[in-house]
Amino acid sequence: MAPAATALYPPPAHAALIVRSLPTVTAEERKKILEDVEYNVFAFPAALLTCDFLSDSGTSALVDLSMAALMRGDESYGRNWGYYCILEAFRDVFERGSRREYAMDRILTGKADAEFYLSKLLTPHQDGFVNGGRHQLERPNFFILPQGRCAETLLFSTLSAMIGKSTTIVSNGFFDTTGANALVAGFRLQVFTQPGLTDPFPNELVGKKNPFKGNLDLVATEAFLDANPSEVSMILLSVTNNWAASQPVSMANVRGAAALAQRRAIPLFLDACRFAENAYFIQQYEDGYGNKTIEEIVQEMFSFADGFTISLKKDGLANMGGVLSFRDQGMFAQKYEGIGMAMKERQIISYGNDSYGGMSGRDLMAASAGLYQVTNQEYLHRRITQIQSFGQKLQANGISILSPPGGAIFLDMDHFFFGCNRKHEDFAAVGFTLELIKDFGIRAAEAGPFGWAADLKSPEERTTIPNLVRFAVPRLVYSDEHIDYTVAAIKEMYDRRHTIPNAEITRGKHMKLRHFSAGLKPVAIDQAVTGTYLAEATRQLGYLSTALGQDATGEKHLIDALALVIGDWGQNLVPKQLEPPTWTSGVSNDGSPIEYSVSIDQVTGEAELRFLTEAQPDENTWKSLRDAALCVNESIAANYPNSVSLRNFEMIRDIFMPAHLSSELAENIKMAAWYSCAYSSKKGPQWKIYLDPCVAGDALLATCEAFRLLGLEKGWKLIESILETADRIVYFSLDLSSNVEEARVKVYVAHGGGDATSKIVAAKVAQKHASICPDADAFEIQRFFAAMAGSDFGMPDSPRGKKSLISCFAFSSKAGLERPVGTVHFPVDGYVQDDAEVKRRVEAYLVAAGSSSKVRERYTKTISAVQRRRLSDGPGIHAWVSLKQRAGGKRDNTFYLCPEMLGVGSPQK
């Protein structure tokens, strides 16, 4: 049903003939104005904004036909001709479907004579949503109001007075004014939105499929009706569901809600503010509707309703107007006999004569024309695809939205601030909207804990409130230039999200609809670590665990394991800065005694989270390091008696932890042992110890002897066969596993004299792996090295660092000594200007390697979990990136991450 397209791009659907210039306003000027308006985004002057996404209500650009109709406005007090136009427009759009009569055309062209009034406009109409002639006088069912919330007020206040007691309204979602009006009228509210609103949705399916996340949960609704008979006075369906991020409602759900309401004799009303957009979603994505017109779908949708309210400021393409209507002699009218006349009395008293209901004649004409325009196929296609494109551009820049996009864009602020340690009560999303106005002149609306007053609700209610920021795109106003500017601004905000202030309510905390009028102030954020080593590591491990989809059990196991290893020193406060003489650990880039690593399968996205740490003795001496390490060994063995064994370690202990070292060696050796723990749901915590072969003076001989003592002579011969003069043994590790068959021994070899960007060295390393590792692919290794080295690959002299490539070769009895598993490690921190460059290289490599979007998303979220600064501030978060090749062509990438507890990391290791 989309318009015809060229091979390159679909043709434009409209042309802009009037242009409004925008003023130049500085960030400092906007900051001062924010102070003056108490940091309330609703109070900021619109004229000083570049892009205004606060609301799509009444902000549409009028099409030329609406403008022409506006000029034909009749301001007569009683029965102006706009009254008849809007009656006929509603009959055409909501009742007649494809059999529209377009009576207003005669009025627009000045050809509506007495005969036309007698034969057409004054003809009695009944049994629909718009009575006419004497029927509208005898039993009125169509009420013109200034806007949608006035229609809600009229509906709820009149209904409440007629019922005379407090009852419940059930809905798929109450928008803020809808809920407020119902509450003020004395109703209780019960929301049953279909589960899964915030569930991920595949980016590649946007524009192709839609799960209709705005649906009413019919099962939960029926269960509530069973438990509360006679307590529900109305079921209200919002189409689209503006509470649930403007997500659409399927026709099947409307039909199901109508059947349920009919069985229980409960009127079904629609909040129809965005009825045309909802119809377009049904046409595009619901089975059986692809060949139906928008007119036919709207007619069917409203055939199930007993009544509806609508703001003509949305899907009326008008700047003002609202309507309340209910079916003549339908369930609602029969159940509440005389309610139409009661509504008319309230309408006239509060808003004006029923001919205009508080609207000007000009607005009536513009709204009548707008109803025809908003149901135009080409218009709806452009409207929805512009929003979808907006969302896809954000996602392409790593910004998470509630997906698929509905009738507006909603940023997922939990994802936006992931890793930033923000709580919902911090109102960080409000801080985001304030910064967006100040720095870029872009206004959006927080639609989360502040707007929905989560701090004033019960803990159970808080869990139902999503943390979102809404970008409501005005209809027909903004071009791709505006959208691209907004995307760039949001991306800049995301890059510096750690510094975005929180917000605090200074006035009006308990006001209804407080977001319109409350006073606020920004609260600055300090990113410095203020707690202990253990507290900060626990926080980061928690975020990493969440990033990888780990359950609470895995997270707890890793945190408990870390607390065991680091012991008392973990309770020390992280220093603000290190004094030059201070000894620092070699575990991580910045001297922090903790490093994290995340291994991700390139295809499935299956991931493993690990930490690396070492004992921290009071004195930085070899003996102190050794004694502390031996104590850690005993603690691990004692606390994990069923899965940990020190048998293999004890066999080689004297090589790597001798009782005494020469003074020269003791002066230069900086580690005794490092400890790694990974968690697997199948195997539980898995421990590993890393040892320094240099402690024996000759690393090569020490490693050879260790292999001999462990009965791995054949494995050592393979390693020996590929070693060259420039190669060095840098680490030796053991799995501390009680399963002797699966326990691995690993040896780490540094290659090539220091330059990881050398093509010659890269080719040699790849060939070495291919020669002794049966599952190694030399081409894939070289492609990986080239991707990680970036533009420096093959340069004669790398300008950025001199750190070596490292190979790891793992042996186990189960795999066979002739089948080592090889892993190559690239020291990315030494060959980039900043971590942003690492991220670009990794993402490009993952795409080239055919990794799924799940893999790339997990990697990105992993970085966010430990990041507390811009990636462009420098290198240090990424230390190493590795590639492991396993049997069957399986490949894993592991990312070694610095916690940066002691500042932006500077390569040390």
Side-chain angles (χ1 to χ4, degrees):
M1 304 300 291
T6 67
L8 298 177
Y9 203 77
H14 68 270
L17 300 180
I18 297 177
V19 174
R20 174 176 293 171
S21 298
L22 298 173
T24 300
V25 185
T26 68
E28 282 302 314
E29 289 170 329
R30 286 191 293 259
K31 180 181 179 182
K32 179 62 173 66
I33 293 168
L34 281 169
E35 293 173 359
D36 291 343
V37 300
E38 294 186 278
Y39 294 97
N40 187 298
V41 299
F42 285 83
F44 192 92
L48 305 180
L49 295 168
T50 302
C51 297
D52 193 354
F53 299 98
L54 183 68
S55 176
D56 61 347
S57 179
T59 60
S60 304
L62 294 183
V63 300
D64 56 352
L65 295 178
S66 294
M67 187 66 72
L70 184 146
M71 297 302 293
R72 285 281 292 157
D74 172 15
E75 303 305 332
S76 300
Y77 188 84
R79 293 301 187 262
N80 64 81
W81 63 54
Y83 170 76
Y84 297 102
C85 285
I86 203 161
L87 295 186
E88 277 298 305
F90 268 76
R91 291 178 187 130
D92 275 354
V93 172
F94 297 103
E95 295 182 11
R96 293 171 180 151
S98 58
R99 304 186 312 278
R100 294 179 175 182
E101 298 179 8
Y102 298 99
M104 76 172 290
D105 289 356
R106 291 279 293 271
I107 295 175
L108 280 175
T109 57
K111 297 178 180 179
D113 55 14
E115 188 278 331
F116 182 72
Y117 270 84
L118 287 170
S119 64
K120 180 62 180 174
L121 300 182
L122 296 177
T123 302
H125 290 270
Q126 62 180 340
D127 298 330
F129 289 119
V130 190
N131 280 353
R134 58 185 175 82
H135 298 304
Q136 184 65 21
L137 296 173
E138 295 169 345
R139 51 179 193 275
N141 68 339
F142 184 87
F143 307 92
I144 301 168
L145 288 308
Q147 60 183 41
R149 70 188 63 179
C150 301
E152 295 163 355
T153 299
L154 183 60
L155 172 63
F156 296 137
S157 63
T158 312
L159 180 60
S160 177
M162 185 157 284
I163 294 173
K165 64 175 183 178
S166 178
T167 58
T168 299
I169 299 176
V170 171
S171 179
N172 60 337
F174 295 91
F175 192 56
D176 54 4
T177 57
T178 313
N181 272 309
L183 287 170
V184 168
F187 290 99
R188 296 184 296 272
L189 310 183
Q190 188 65 55
V191 175
F192 293 115
T193 306
Q194 173 179 286
L197 175 63
T198 58
D199 287 354
F201 185 82
N203 296 346
E204 60 271 17
L205 295 182
V206 172
K208 299 177 181 178
K209 292 184 179 295
N210 194 289
F212 291 94
K213 291 182 176 183
N215 283 349
L216 174 71
D217 187 334
L218 296 174
V219 174
T221 300
E222 185 151 27
F224 182 81
L225 295 177
D226 288 340
N228 300 275
S230 304
E231 288 299 312
V232 176
S233 56
M234 178 184 291
I235 296 175
L236 179 67
L237 271 185
S238 178
V239 292
T240 58
N241 190 340
N242 205 24
W243 181 87
S246 293
Q247 293 292 303
V249 177
S250 69
M251 188 72 82
N253 193 248
V254 176
R255 187 183 303 112
L260 176 58
Q262 188 70 31
R263 291 197 304 270
R264 303 304 181 106
I266 299 171
L268 174 69
F269 266 65
L270 301 182
D271 174 350
C273 292
R274 295 168 179 82
F275 75 94
E277 293 178 7
N278 200 87
Y280 180 82
F281 281 109
I282 290 172
Q283 181 195 65
Q284 297 297 311
Y285 304 114
E286 188 166 358
D287 291 343
Y289 289 90
N291 293 321
K292 292 197 174 186
T293 66
I294 295 296
E295 292 90 340
E296 291 170 331
I297 293 170
V298 170
Q299 181 188 34
E300 181 179 347
M301 193 187 333
F302 281 80
S303 72
F304 296 112
D306 293 295
F308 63 93
T309 60
I310 183 172
S311 169
L312 297 172
K313 298 171 69 175
K314 285 88 170 175
D315 272 0
L317 285 183
N319 302 132
M320 185 54 66
V323 164
L324 162 62
S325 177
F326 59 85
R327 192 176 299 282
D328 180 40
Q329 302 185 86
M331 182 195 298
F332 182 75
Q334 293 178 35
K335 190 168 186 176
Y336 304 107
E337 186 177 355
I339 195 169
M341 193 61 73
M343 287 177 172
K344 184 172 181 177
E345 290 177 350
R346 286 173 181 261
Q347 175 198 30
I348 294 172
I349 290 171
S350 300
Y351 302 107
N353 185 16
D354 63 344
S355 296
Y356 65 93
M359 290 178 69
S360 70
R362 293 183 294 276
D363 285 326
L364 278 171
M365 293 298 290
S368 299
L371 282 168
Y372 293 103
Q373 295 296 315
V374 83
T375 51
N376 176 273
Q377 180 74 43
E378 284 71 29
Y379 157 76
L380 284 169
H381 174 75
R382 294 296 169 163
R383 163 70 176 167
I384 299 305
T385 55
Q386 182 187 48
I387 293 171
Q388 289 174 339
S389 174
F390 188 180
Q392 289 171 319
K393 288 175 179 178
L394 287 168
Q395 290 174 315
N397 281 277
I399 313 297
S400 181
I401 64 170
L402 197 148
S403 189
I409 293 298
F410 286 77
L411 299 191
D412 179 347
M413 300 310 289
D414 283 336
H415 184 278
F416 189 95
F417 284 113
F418 181 77
C420 295
N421 211 33
R422 309 294 182 100
K423 302 180 290 294
H424 282 194
E425 56 267 31
D426 292 330
F427 302 139
V430 176
F432 165 84
T433 63
L434 297 175
E435 289 288 287
L436 197 61
I437 287 178
K438 175 175 70 71
D439 290 337
F440 302 100
I442 299 172
R443 179 160 60 178
E446 190 263 10
F450 171 67
W452 297 107
D455 51 312
L456 304 180
K457 292 182 168 57
S458 68
E460 293 76 17
E461 290 175 310
R462 291 176 198 172
T463 62
T464 67
I465 296 174
N467 188 16
L468 305 170
V469 166
R470 183 184 71 173
F471 288 76
V473 182
R475 296 165 179 83
L476 300 170
V477 174
Y478 292 143
S479 66
D480 283 349
E481 185 179 9
H482 297 87
I483 299 300
D484 291 344
Y485 173 73
T486 302
V487 170
I490 296 171
K491 176 61 164 63
E492 166 65 19
M493 295 280 286
Y494 180 69
D495 289 344
R496 59 179 173 90
R497 61 194 178 277
H498 308 85
T499 63
I500 292 174
N502 293 328
E504 179 182 288
I505 303 173
T506 59
R507 179 185 54 75
K509 179 176 181 178
H510 296 277
M511 294 172 62
K512 291 181 175 66
L513 300 179
R514 66 188 185 185
H515 48 288
F516 287 104
S517 304
L520 301 107
K521 70 175 183 180
V523 179
I525 296 298
D526 182 4
Q527 283 299 312
V529 179
T530 57
T532 65
Y533 282 103
L534 179 59
E536 179 60 14
T538 297
R539 185 188 74 82
Q540 291 181 319
L541 277 173
Y543 279 119
L544 283 165
S545 182
T546 300
L548 299 178
Q550 219 173 36
D551 60 23
T553 301
E555 178 184 338
K556 185 178 187 305
H557 274 298
L558 281 174
I559 291 172
D560 289 347
L562 179 64
L564 171 69
V565 177
I566 64 179
D568 292 341
W569 68 261
Q571 301 304 323
N572 293 335
L573 292 173
V574 177
K576 295 292 184 183
Q577 61 182 23
L578 290 177
E579 297 299 327
T582 303
W583 175 78
T584 57
S585 173
V587 165
S588 199
N589 277 347
D590 69 334
S592 303
I594 299 167
E595 180 186 71
Y596 313 115
S597 58
V598 174
S599 179
I600 306 178
D601 185 290
Q602 281 190 7
V603 176
T604 66
E606 185 177 345
E608 181 180 84
L609 172 59
R610 308 182 290 237
F611 68 77
L612 178 70
T613 188
E614 70 174 328
Q616 299 286 286
D618 293 333
E619 295 182 13
N620 181 29
T621 64
W622 160 253
K623 186 177 184 308
S624 297
L625 287 168
R626 173 185 174 277
D627 292 346
L630 292 174
C631 287
V632 169
N633 282 6
E634 297 302 324
S635 294
I636 294 173
N639 282 272
Y640 298 88
N642 297 324
S643 59
V644 168
S645 170
L646 299 179
R647 185 182 70 90
N648 282 354
F649 169 76
E650 291 299 335
M651 293 175 65
I652 60 172
R653 169 176 169 171
D654 289 342
I655 298 175
F656 298 101
M657 288 192 181
H660 302 286
L661 281 184
S662 68
S663 58
E664 182 181 353
L665 280 174
E667 181 70 24
N668 293 314
I669 297 297
K670 298 299 183 183
M671 67 172 282
W674 293 344
Y675 296 90
S676 170
C677 184
Y679 177 78
S680 163
S681 58
K682 296 179 180 179
K683 300 179 182 179
Q686 301 164 76
W687 289 93
K688 187 189 303 179
I689 187 171
Y690 289 82
L691 302 164
D692 185 354
C694 294
V695 76
D698 188 321
L700 201 64
L701 290 176
T703 307
C704 175
E705 178 63 10
F707 267 72
R708 185 188 68 79
L709 292 173
L710 294 169
L712 302 174
E713 293 94 334
K714 289 183 179 179
W716 175 247
K717 287 182 179 179
L718 288 176
I719 301 296
E720 215 172 20
S721 69
I722 62 169
L723 292 180
E724 297 183 29
T725 305
D727 295 335
R728 297 174 293 113
I729 309 294
V730 288
Y731 302 115
F732 183 94
S733 78
L734 292 172
D735 285 357
L736 299 180
S737 173
S738 58
N739 187 328
V740 177
E741 287 291 309
E742 293 187 355
R744 295 167 302 170
V745 173
K746 293 183 177 181
V747 59
Y748 292 78
V749 181
H751 301 283
D755 191 352
T757 65
S758 166
K759 278 187 177 181
I760 296 174
V761 175
K764 285 184 177 180
V765 172
Q767 187 55 46
K768 290 174 182 180
H769 277 258
S771 68
I772 68 170
C773 300
D775 303 312
D777 181 329
F779 170 78
E780 184 60 34
I781 292 173
Q782 291 187 77
R783 179 169 73 163
F784 169 72
F785 285 153
M788 294 303 103
S791 60
D792 287 342
F793 193 59
M795 296 287 286
D797 292 301
S798 171
R800 292 179 183 158
K802 292 292 180 182
K803 296 183 72 174
S804 299
L805 297 171
I806 288 183
S807 292
C808 170
F809 301 100
F811 298 85
S812 69
S813 299
K814 184 176 181 179
L817 299 184
E818 289 80 21
R819 296 187 62 87
V821 175
T823 304
V824 290
H825 299 258
F826 190 94
V828 286
D829 58 334
Y831 297 91
V832 291
Q833 295 283 8
D834 52 48
D835 283 290
E837 176 60 26
V838 180
K839 187 169 180 287
R840 284 190 290 271
R841 292 181 188 180
V842 168
E843 289 174 339
Y845 168 72
L846 291 175
V847 170
S851 296
S852 66
S853 59
K854 180 180 180 180
V855 173
R856 302 192 294 275
E857 287 165 7
R858 281 199 159 171
Y859 160 71
T860 299
K861 200 166 185 179
T862 293
I863 303 308
S864 295
V866 298
Q867 179 186 354
R868 60 166 60 84
R869 60 168 174 85
R870 285 176 181 265
L871 294 179
S872 59
D873 285 349
I877 294 176
H878 297 83
W880 300 82
V881 180
S882 74
L883 169 68
K884 177 196 285 187
Q885 299 177 96
R886 297 180 285 130
K890 296 178 180 179
R891 301 192 295 262
D892 302 324
N893 290 116
T894 300
F895 308 98
Y896 297 81
L897 308 173
C898 170
E900 292 199 326
M901 295 186 190
L902 305 176
V904 178
S906 57
Q908 294 181 14
K909 194 168 42 171

